[in-house]
Amino acid sequence: MTGSPEGSHTEILRPDECWQYLRSSYIGRLAVINGDVPEIFPVNFSVAGETLLFRTAPGTKLRALLSGAVAALEVDGLNPYATEVWSVVAKGRPGPFDEGSMPLAETDADREPWEPGIKDHLIAITPTDLSGRRFAVSPRHRWWPPVDFSADWL
């Protein structure tokens, strides 16, 4: 594996691998700055080219997204056997989707938000910073607490 600290088995993902994982996913966590406070929201999203798209309604999230501050979308997943996990973080300046930049039909932007309610604002983030990592899951006995609750670790 490449780009890993000494002794670590974490693999740093190439940008094309990050995009492959993003295209295989549809839900992540959106981090925005609301004034001086970070806020994190679950969002379901679509990928169009190298742009991330999602719908939202007026409120805290939309105000923060349109404030001009950088936002981040983190997406995680695991392989079918749960032996390997990955995480991708895309950072960029969000803004309203520009319908002149690409046809909506090609973007899968009609994906319905999971949360009920009208979400009329289609937001786009074209990442200026994209990073990801992948690593094997350690055996359970290494990261779950002991079963014996009488142990003195409590």
Side-chain angles (χ1 to χ4, degrees):
M1 302 200 175
T2 60
S4 302
E6 179 91 18
S8 170
H9 297 290
T10 299
E11 180 180 2
I12 304 303
L13 300 175
R14 298 184 318 265
D16 63 307
E17 293 174 302
C18 291
W19 282 112
Q20 181 180 356
Y21 282 126
L22 288 170
R23 286 185 183 93
S24 74
S25 302
Y26 51 87
I27 189 160
R29 288 166 308 285
L30 176 72
V32 297
I33 300 298
N34 178 27
D36 294 338
V37 179
E39 302 275 359
I40 299 175
F41 301 92
V43 294
N44 59 314
F45 67 94
S46 297
V47 178
E50 292 190 347
T51 298
L52 304 165
L53 301 169
F54 57 92
R55 293 189 176 278
T56 191
T60 302
K61 184 185 340 167
L62 183 61
R63 278 191 306 277
L65 287 164
L66 299 180
S67 72
V70 173
L73 180 71
E74 181 177 30
V75 180
D76 304 307
L78 63 157
N79 69 359
Y81 307 105
T83 57
E84 186 176 76
V85 296
W86 56 267
S87 178
V88 173
V89 177
K91 299 174 189 171
R93 294 206 187 277
F97 176 71
D98 176 10
E99 294 186 43
S101 65
M102 72 182 75
L104 265 178
E106 295 177 20
T107 63
D108 189 28
D110 289 329
R111 179 174 300 204
E112 289 292 321
W114 288 0
E115 185 178 22
I118 297 174
K119 315 282 186 191
D120 284 340
H121 299 275
L122 182 58
I123 301 297
I125 299 176
T126 301
T128 53
D129 184 13
L130 186 64
S131 62
R133 60 192 187 134
R134 175 176 48 219
F135 55 90
V137 174
S138 295
R140 282 185 66 166
H141 69 275
R142 296 194 58 204
W143 51 279
W144 284 104
V147 177
D148 180 5
F149 288 104
S150 66
D152 54 346
W153 62 271
L154 293 174

